[in-house]
Amino acid sequence: MIKKILPAVVLSLSLISCQMGLVNESNSDEISARAVSRVSDKGEEGTLYDQKIKADDNRIINNPDMGFYRSYTIKVPSDGVLNTDKIISDLKRFDNDVTFESNYRYAENLKINLIQLVVDISAFTDSFEESKLSFLNEVFDYLRQSEKSAIVRFKYNPFYKLIGSYKFHDADPVFYDIMRSQIDVICKTLKPNTDVITAIECDMFGGWTEMPYIVTAIINDYCAGLRGTSVPLLVRYPDYIYRCISNEKSTDLEKWYRTRLLYLSYTSYKPDEKDDYYRLGIFNDDYLEGISDYGTYKMGSYNGYRYLNEGEYRDKEVNFLIPFTNHTPFGGKLRGTYNIESNTISEEMYKTHLSYLDIENRTEPLTKIYNQKYNEEETVFEHIAKNMGYRYEVQKCFLQYPDDVSKMSVLIVYQNNGFANLPYHRTKAVTFLIRNKETGEIVSSGEIRDFISAESAESDSVYPEEELESYTISKLDLPKGSYEVFMRVADKGTENYPIEFANADMWDASLKANKIGEFEKKL
């Protein structure tokens, strides 16, 4: 996960960042002592006050860029004229739709904040102007105002009915060129809206999203068109990542298999943060369908020779993908319940950093995970819904200030208990709000600096690392009274897409912030 530290814009700050062991009853005193030592080392004035923080209450949290999603398809006519009012009206009904009841009963505590927008541009048999996609700006504006985010997928498949599901490569190559020419127009539409876009699923052609013969060119076109942004690009199969990083363009299947095996042997491969392919990740439209997820994690055999068995492919490829999925979203369509009975699938969810899943594609797997126990406290559904994406829990919090409360330092220890990390293209800013208990008047610190995202674990048997952070509010002028302190973590320059912490009784929806402490000014 990339950790960016920017200078303070308005207020001075002191930054403390270290990795620590899990906070529990046995070592909380040790952490308190280290926290006191760290603050004392900085020479700040005032007394250090330990705040009362409740633990994670295991509720389902609906934070940005994660969780269960619903899918909506927009078929764009050749003239590009669409009724955007109807599209937005349809999206508004997603939170309460009678057609969704059969699956929604499994998600009574969920709010759908993530939408998959499938944009079908098959009507265009030639290149087109950006104005033909201008309606999307209105759709993105609605999502922005609603604080929903989108997984975007463009489809171009005019010959699907003619060539059949498995004969996509028989189409006239001229249409590959047309499709590629459209990617530049697509990117021009998407670039101003990347604050709303969780990821782009690069699925342009084929009945089952297969496009191996042109995948490298498609990815390179997207990378070029989106240069200057860092929005993730998700591809359907690990093979496509192999092709990109190996610059493999051959249509020779045997050579392709060998290329795949070559990179499977390099499980320590890590993409360079400066490389275009750093933004690559995976979407899995057959998640938990079976041992290979319907071919996601295997190539099968060539000329009767099987290079690896299916289970070996899955394990090796999951490990290979970790350096990609640890900073890009990973998810897709829940199509089965492979390995759910053993509960070992949770280990894989940590490794792949599971971020999102659909909740309406198939009822059968939802029913099964809803009724099956993960442990004595929760079902498999609850375990997945609770941990999907990132999940920050505050372990300790101290407020330090002089008697006149003319300034304040906030020292906070937190960890990420979720499967995934905050997507690397998201930069969140920290703002503190101080509210008078009697008058309700609020004083804002303004944005202090970027939020440092604690890393998730890569196993449910390993404790996640923790962050110890210190912030200083340099000037305060408050009347006597009792106060509450809130920490807002939201998009820079706005209050949009705030992050809710997992601690009980901490979230204040009206402030879009988490309550981390209280104090009293007596002088």
Side-chain angles (χ1 to χ4, degrees):
M1 183 73 183
I2 297 178
K3 298 183 179 181
K4 299 178 181 176
I5 303 173
L6 299 181
V9 176
V10 180
L11 305 173
S12 65
L13 65 94
S14 58
L15 169 64
I16 305 169
S17 179
C18 65
Q19 293 186 7
M20 307 171 65
L22 181 71
V23 177
N24 53 34
E25 293 181 359
S26 64
N27 65 3
S28 60
D29 290 340
E30 177 187 352
I31 286 183
S32 298
R34 276 189 284 181
V36 171
S37 173
R38 288 278 183 170
V39 173
S40 299
D41 288 345
K42 301 301 291 184
E44 301 291 348
E45 298 178 2
T47 305
L48 196 66
Y49 297 93
D50 191 352
Q51 302 300 299
K52 295 180 179 179
I53 300 293
K54 293 183 180 180
D56 186 335
D57 62 1
N58 293 319
R59 73 190 184 282
I60 296 173
I61 301 174
N62 304 292
N63 272 323
D65 298 305
M66 52 168 271
F68 285 104
Y69 73 86
R70 295 198 65 185
S71 182
Y72 186 80
T73 298
I74 303 171
K75 291 183 71 67
V76 187
S78 58
D79 61 6
V81 178
L82 281 159
N83 185 344
T84 53
D85 289 340
K86 182 183 185 306
I87 294 173
I88 292 172
S89 177
D90 289 344
L91 293 175
K92 286 180 178 178
R93 288 201 300 269
F94 268 14
D95 284 333
N96 185 21
D97 188 343
V98 292
T99 64
F100 190 38
E101 282 185 357
S102 61
N103 286 356
Y104 197 76
R105 68 176 183 272
Y106 303 128
E108 295 174 355
N109 297 320
L110 293 183
K111 178 183 177 184
I112 304 300
N113 287 332
L114 187 60
I115 305 295
Q116 182 194 48
L117 284 180
V118 180
V119 185
D120 188 339
I121 55 173
S122 300
F124 300 109
T125 56
D126 204 343
S127 57
F128 58 91
E129 297 178 352
E130 188 179 349
S131 60
K132 297 293 180 69
L133 297 180
S134 61
F135 72 92
L136 280 175
N137 291 318
E138 293 183 54
V139 176
F140 286 132
D141 282 342
Y142 161 72
L143 294 176
R144 187 179 291 111
Q145 293 166 11
S146 305
E147 295 188 288
K148 298 180 186 292
S149 49
I151 301 163
V152 182
R153 180 187 293 194
F154 280 84
K155 292 287 291 182
Y156 183 79
N157 197 1
F159 288 96
Y160 172 69
K161 293 182 179 179
L162 296 179
I163 66 175
S165 303
Y166 292 100
K167 297 181 180 179
F168 52 89
H169 54 281
D170 291 339
D172 190 333
V174 70
F175 288 100
Y176 296 154
D177 295 332
I178 293 173
M179 179 172 58
R180 289 185 60 191
S181 72
Q182 293 169 343
I183 292 177
D184 182 60
V185 178
I186 290 171
C187 291
K188 288 178 180 178
T189 302
L190 297 182
K191 283 183 79 170
N193 297 293
T194 54
D195 61 316
V196 181
I197 300 172
T198 298
I200 299 169
E201 294 179 338
C202 298
D203 156 39
M204 294 290 289
F205 196 76
W208 271 268
T209 72
E210 300 93 341
M211 53 178 196
Y213 298 93
I214 54 167
V215 65
T216 305
I218 292 291
I219 295 301
N220 288 339
D221 290 341
Y222 266 115
C223 288
L226 293 168
R227 197 150 290 145
T229 76
S230 52
V231 63
L233 299 176
L234 310 184
V235 297
R236 176 62 185 91
Y237 298 103
D239 295 293
Y240 298 172
I241 293 181
Y242 304 145
R243 279 183 168 261
C244 288
I245 62 180
S246 66
N247 197 29
E248 175 59 58
K249 300 181 176 66
S250 173
T251 58
D252 184 327
L253 288 181
E254 184 171 18
K255 186 176 181 181
W256 188 11
Y257 296 157
R258 293 185 184 280
T259 298
R260 179 174 182 154
L261 287 172
L262 173 67
Y263 281 100
L264 280 177
S265 66
Y266 292 105
T267 55
S268 61
Y269 177 88
K270 292 184 178 180
D272 190 311
E273 294 178 11
K274 298 179 182 179
D275 192 275
D276 279 340
Y277 298 147
Y278 185 78
R279 67 172 77 208
L280 295 185
I282 294 291
F283 70 91
N284 187 344
D285 276 353
D286 290 293
Y287 190 58
L288 303 189
E289 174 79 13
I291 192 169
S292 70
D293 283 358
Y294 208 65
T296 301
Y297 294 121
K298 72 167 186 177
M299 280 302 297
S301 61
Y302 183 79
N303 286 342
Y305 179 74
R306 182 177 293 279
Y307 290 100
L308 291 172
N309 66 45
E310 294 173 331
E312 287 178 305
Y313 267 122
R314 188 182 191 106
D315 292 343
K316 286 180 178 292
E317 292 193 330
V318 164
N319 288 329
F320 175 84
L321 290 172
I322 289 174
F324 294 92
T325 60
N326 68 1
H327 59 274
T328 60
F330 174 90
K333 295 178 181 178
L334 182 63
R335 305 278 296 196
T337 55
Y338 167 73
N339 225 12
I340 287 295
E341 289 80 1
S342 66
N343 288 338
T344 58
I345 195 63
S346 181
E347 289 279 344
E348 183 180 296
M349 290 174 180
Y350 277 100
K351 284 186 175 183
T352 57
H353 301 288
L354 180 66
S355 298
Y356 68 96
L357 287 174
D358 81 285
I359 196 170
E360 58 186 339
N361 187 260
R362 285 189 178 178
T363 301
E364 183 179 350
L366 278 171
T367 302
K368 186 169 184 178
I369 66 174
Y370 185 77
N371 291 318
Q372 183 167 331
K373 284 286 188 180
Y374 178 77
N375 54 36
E376 293 182 0
E377 288 77 33
E378 60 188 6
T379 65
V380 174
F381 176 88
E382 290 168 333
H383 180 71
I384 294 174
K386 182 185 75 175
N387 293 295
M388 197 159 33
Y390 52 89
R391 185 181 184 88
Y392 298 112
E393 180 187 10
V394 176
Q395 304 292 319
K396 274 286 184 181
C397 184
F398 297 93
L399 301 181
Q400 185 181 33
Y401 49 86
D403 291 341
D404 62 357
V405 199
S406 57
K407 60 181 178 179
M408 178 180 291
S409 289
V410 178
L411 188 143
I412 189 167
V413 179
Y414 56 90
Q415 69 182 28
N416 180 5
N417 297 327
F419 293 142
N421 297 308
L422 183 69
Y424 83 107
H425 67 306
R426 296 306 192 204
T427 302
K428 302 290 183 179
V430 174
T431 300
F432 291 98
L433 306 173
I434 300 174
R435 182 169 67 187
N436 188 304
K437 283 187 175 182
E438 296 178 359
T439 67
E441 184 178 354
I442 296 174
V443 174
S444 173
S445 69
E447 291 182 358
I448 293 184
R449 62 171 166 84
D450 288 359
F451 176 69
I452 307 298
S453 174
E455 296 280 348
S456 70
E458 290 185 358
S459 167
D460 60 1
S461 61
V462 177
Y463 292 137
E465 70 177 49
E466 292 171 337
E467 291 292 337
L468 170 61
E469 299 291 329
S470 178
Y471 308 82
T472 298
I473 305 173
S474 59
K475 291 183 180 180
L476 285 173
D477 184 12
L478 303 170
K480 293 180 182 180
S482 298
Y483 294 87
E484 299 168 300
V485 181
F486 296 84
M487 180 178 179
R488 178 188 291 149
V489 181
D491 282 3
K492 295 184 70 173
T494 74
E495 299 176 6
N496 293 342
Y497 300 103
I499 293 177
E500 178 180 350
F501 293 160
N503 303 72
D505 302 326
M506 181 175 279
W507 179 245
D508 188 305
S510 65
L511 295 179
K512 299 182 179 180
N514 302 278
K515 181 180 175 181
I516 58 169
E518 298 183 349
F519 68 93
E520 186 173 356
K521 181 176 180 181
K522 299 179 179 179
L523 297 181

